[in-house]
Amino acid sequence: MKTSKLPGEQTPPSGLSRREFMRNTGLLACSAAATTMAPLARAEEHQHQPAAGVAAVPFKFGAEPHRVRKNFHDLTDDEVKQLCAAISYMRHGSRSKPLSMDNPLQWDRFAVMHEQHCTEAGYDQVHWSWFFLPWHRGYLFFLERILANILTTIYGVDGSKFALPYWDWTAQKGIPNTADRESRGLASPFFGYDLTRESMVEDDGLVLNGKSFDNQALWEGNRTPTIARPEMNPQYEKSAASRDHIAETVSYMSVEYIKLMLRLPFADFAGAEKIDAANGQGVLEQNPHNNGHDWVGSRYGRNRNMGTLRYAALDPIFFLHHANIDRIWSLYRLPQPDPDTSPWGAQIYTFLDVDGSPVTVSVKDIVKSMTTFEYSAGSASPPPQLVEAASKPAPAPAEQSEVIVSSPATLTAGPLVLESERKPAAHSLLIEGMNVGKGGISLLEITTGPIPFTGKFLIRVFINAPDANARTSTRDPHYLGRIAGLDSEARRGETDSEITHTFQIILGESSGPFYKMARADESYKLTLVPAGMPPEANFKIQIKRIRLRVLRDAK
Ligand code: C2O
């Protein structure tokens, strides 16, 4: 049977546990320190074949227990132990029951599914469009069932009570810990369950129901935050640019920003309909989602694990991050595409059942039938204000928009200055945006051509600051926001000039910097500044157009 493996990993001989495999190959010692990217293995080495010869069958809903997903902060120590034990088993089984790398449920192999759908050419890509939220919801749902089943069958614990926790980074700005551990002065289990025990060896004395589990089940060596500095704190950064970047990350991951996002139409919030060569990520994906990835992984460029989509799901915190993204989707109350009639609902994905056999679900199933879990509001401080913010269904806001830049321009590694068109309609929209008052939100929409650059990128946008460059602070009053994307090998070779990607910057309400700086009687200048890419990066994209969009009654 053909095995899926992560780039750079060797396939262990059949029946070997991951731990034995890693120990034999020396990967165990160096996995924490690895900083270079292994070359991506060829696509054909990655075919996801959960169990050779087993055809995928539609998943049957109906027998699922009701699960309550709690804030990680609120987990009891017993619940933390269960999470550690179940993930530990997926990583390498137990001494009496090793989990072979041939097993599709093995943790690294489970992470490969994400790599394929989220970055690899030749697979249905689920980022940068309206498939982002449902695919990840499905991925979490099936992982949760697998972990629950491991608790029942391996540890003799009632798995029907198990639920994935979420990391509420709007309240907990850092690698999350539980309230109880915090009060006892214990580090987050994401650095190791018990730091006084020997790590990374079996039988380190930790047991759940008589069965040992791995001390470091939730740990991942390739993170930037450390046990001494687990917080999202700009002051920990060495350069002024990084301090700015983290301060901005904090604001994109705040309750205030999420509340703004929840007022936007679905395509802007969650991702645009994918039509042929056109797509666009929603602001939920572009900002708090991408920021969470790169804060846990690394700020810029390529790195292993969370900061890089192809490795991200290796880190258990990935699933808590995505549970929070999914929770925010569950709070969204504006109209969504109709899963019964739209091509959204008809899309089908394959996931894994608790025994590793492939099962299919449609987005319609995900939206309409994957309803057996709920998110508890949690007790973290500050108290979660999002739930009330989003309690009533509301109509989509009315919108007016105007193209303000229509002549295509090429953006390379340096700043690009574009001037808004002088036309009456654009000027009246500007006045409209200035006066729309409460309930009005403005967006700047940037449409690009193909982006063959496969690394992470970040483009800052300034208004009436023609000299802005990569060193200009994001606290500059002319700064409007940024557009950004994570790595994707799927973009390699993106050359078709028909391709478009749309990006949104929330300009906010009429009091924001945009309306302070733009004068209705003159054209204004937008400066696009690529930042944080290595100078040798061959970054070159076309800016096809820029629109100003004014939403009314976005309550
Ligand atoms: Cu498919 Cu957060 O990634």
Side-chain angles (χ1 to χ4, degrees):
M1 169 190 161
K2 218 164 156 195
T3 27
S4 304
K5 41 179 189 164
L6 286 163
E9 279 196 350
Q10 293 164 265
T11 306
S14 213
L16 210 56
S17 75
R18 178 179 191 249
R19 190 181 287 272
E20 288 163 324
F21 165 61
M22 293 179 95
R23 194 185 280 136
N24 291 350
T25 54
L27 282 174
L28 200 55
C30 70
S31 66
T35 48
T36 48
M37 285 285 272
L40 194 80
R42 277 168 298 122
E44 61 270 29
E45 290 177 330
H46 281 248
Q47 293 305 324
H48 191 68
Q49 294 179 331
V54 181
V57 294
F59 177 73
K60 283 194 194 61
F61 290 90
E64 297 306 304
H66 186 77
R67 303 186 194 275
V68 181
R69 294 183 181 171
K70 296 203 252 177
N71 186 328
F72 187 74
H73 191 79
D74 298 333
L75 293 192
T76 63
D77 205 48
D78 219 46
E79 288 166 329
V80 172
K81 263 189 197 168
Q82 290 184 18
L83 180 68
C84 291
I87 290 179
S88 153
Y89 186 79
M90 275 182 85
R91 285 181 181 252
H92 41 64
S94 65
R95 176 163 288 175
S96 55
K97 265 196 163 183
L99 192 68
S100 153
M101 289 290 283
D102 285 346
N103 193 311
L105 298 181
Q106 196 279 329
W107 187 258
D108 301 28
R109 292 197 52 190
F110 196 81
V112 167
M113 284 173 78
H114 179 260
E115 182 211 355
Q116 291 170 336
H117 282 288
C118 291
T119 153
E120 205 168 292
Y123 289 86
D124 271 337
Q125 289 303 299
V126 297
H127 280 243
W128 290 36
S129 78
W130 62 358
F131 296 121
F132 171 71
L133 291 175
W135 186 85
H136 289 83
R137 176 169 286 179
Y139 193 46
L140 295 183
F141 176 85
F142 286 101
L143 175 71
E144 188 174 59
R145 299 178 75 242
I146 292 164
L147 294 173
N149 184 58
I150 289 171
L151 286 172
T152 305
T153 57
I154 305 290
Y155 293 94
V157 168
D158 180 2
S160 71
K161 303 272 185 304
F162 174 79
L164 279 174
Y166 62 90
W167 166 29
D168 180 7
W169 26 251
T170 65
Q172 295 188 289
K173 294 271 186 282
I175 298 293
N177 200 359
T178 66
D180 176 55
R181 289 177 65 96
E182 225 164 60
S183 73
R184 290 186 288 142
L186 296 174
S188 166
F190 284 95
F191 295 106
Y193 182 82
D194 180 352
L195 297 167
T196 64
R197 312 264 177 165
E198 195 183 348
S199 306
M200 303 297 274
V201 290
E202 257 181 89
D203 294 339
D204 38 25
L206 297 168
V207 288
L208 171 67
N209 232 9
K211 304 263 180 353
S212 64
F213 66 89
D214 184 357
N215 193 13
Q216 305 250 310
L218 305 187
W219 184 75
E220 165 49 60
N222 297 299
R223 296 191 192 123
T224 302
T226 60
I227 189 161
R229 297 188 149 183
E231 306 92 10
M232 207 176 276
N233 182 343
Q235 294 319 318
Y236 292 165
E237 302 298 313
K238 290 198 188 75
S239 67
S242 300
R243 284 193 287 278
D244 274 5
H245 183 73
I246 298 307
E248 198 181 8
T249 293
V250 167
S251 72
Y252 276 136
M253 299 181 83
S254 66
V255 169
E256 292 66 35
Y257 189 78
I258 310 300
K259 280 180 163 174
L260 267 181
M261 285 190 336
L262 289 169
R263 294 162 59 188
L264 301 180
F266 187 79
D268 302 311
F269 167 73
E273 179 176 1
K274 205 171 178 177
I275 309 169
D276 301 326
N279 63 32
Q281 49 183 350
V283 288
L284 176 57
E285 177 185 351
Q286 178 180 246
N287 296 321
H289 165 261
N290 290 359
N291 287 166
H293 273 277
D294 81 6
W295 180 75
V296 175
S298 79
R299 321 299 189 233
Y300 296 127
R302 291 170 179 265
N303 76 321
R304 291 180 64 93
N305 295 4
M306 271 293 273
T308 303
L309 286 184
R310 73 176 110 171
Y311 292 115
L314 285 170
D315 188 335
I317 206 169
F318 171 96
F319 296 93
L320 279 73
H321 178 44
H322 271 277
N324 201 41
I325 298 286
D326 192 72
R327 179 177 77 102
I328 291 168
W329 181 22
S330 77
L331 299 173
Y332 187 75
R333 292 293 177 270
L334 302 186
Q336 307 203 22
D338 183 347
D340 289 312
T341 56
S342 68
W344 188 56
Q347 175 69 35
I348 291 180
Y349 293 115
T350 304
F351 293 102
L352 298 178
D353 208 341
V354 294
D355 61 356
S357 58
V359 283
T360 57
V361 285
S362 63
V363 168
K364 175 175 159 176
D365 295 332
I366 292 172
V367 174
K368 295 179 80 171
S369 307
M370 218 172 257
T371 51
T372 45
F373 60 88
E374 63 173 304
Y375 291 96
S376 80
S379 61
S381 113
Q385 308 149 46
L386 292 173
V387 181
E388 333 89 80
S391 54
K392 279 191 231 83
E399 165 168 354
Q400 264 179 285
S401 72
E402 276 302 324
V403 172
I404 54 171
V405 174
S406 63
S407 38
T410 304
L411 176 66
T412 56
L416 172 70
V417 182
L418 298 168
E419 187 158 359
S420 71
E421 284 166 21
R422 293 162 188 271
K423 54 178 186 183
H427 282 182
S428 36
L429 183 62
L430 196 65
I431 293 169
E432 165 87 16
M434 283 174 178
N435 297 326
V436 67
K438 265 225 150 319
I441 298 184
S442 300
L443 300 170
L444 198 65
E445 179 182 276
I446 300 180
T447 303
T448 73
I451 306 183
F453 183 69
T454 58
K456 285 201 236 184
F457 63 87
L458 170 62
I459 300 163
R460 301 199 175 119
V461 183
F462 295 84
I463 180 168
N464 290 342
D467 297 330
N469 60 40
R471 286 177 306 282
T472 309
S473 171
T474 53
R475 280 166 300 146
D476 188 289
H478 301 263
Y479 181 61
L480 298 179
R482 64 188 182 193
I483 65 172
L486 293 180
D487 60 296
S488 178
E489 283 299 321
R491 295 196 298 261
R492 190 183 293 285
E494 227 189 55
T495 47
D496 183 350
S497 60
E498 294 300 295
I499 291 175
T500 61
H501 303 295
T502 48
F503 298 88
Q504 314 292 343
I505 293 176
I506 304 183
L507 298 172
E509 293 168 339
S510 7
S511 54
F514 179 79
Y515 290 109
K516 286 210 185 94
M517 297 290 163
R519 300 266 316 269
D521 50 351
E522 294 166 12
S523 65
Y524 45 91
K525 292 195 171 64
L526 295 172
T527 308
L528 275 54
V529 183
M533 277 165 301
E536 70 283 4
N538 188 19
F539 188 74
K540 186 176 171 194
I541 63 175
Q542 203 184 49
I543 305 298
K544 290 192 166 174
R545 72 183 153 269
I546 302 182
R547 285 200 306 158
L548 174 63
R549 302 172 50 200
V550 176
L551 311 176
R552 309 179 135 271
D553 304 319
K555 297 228 172 77

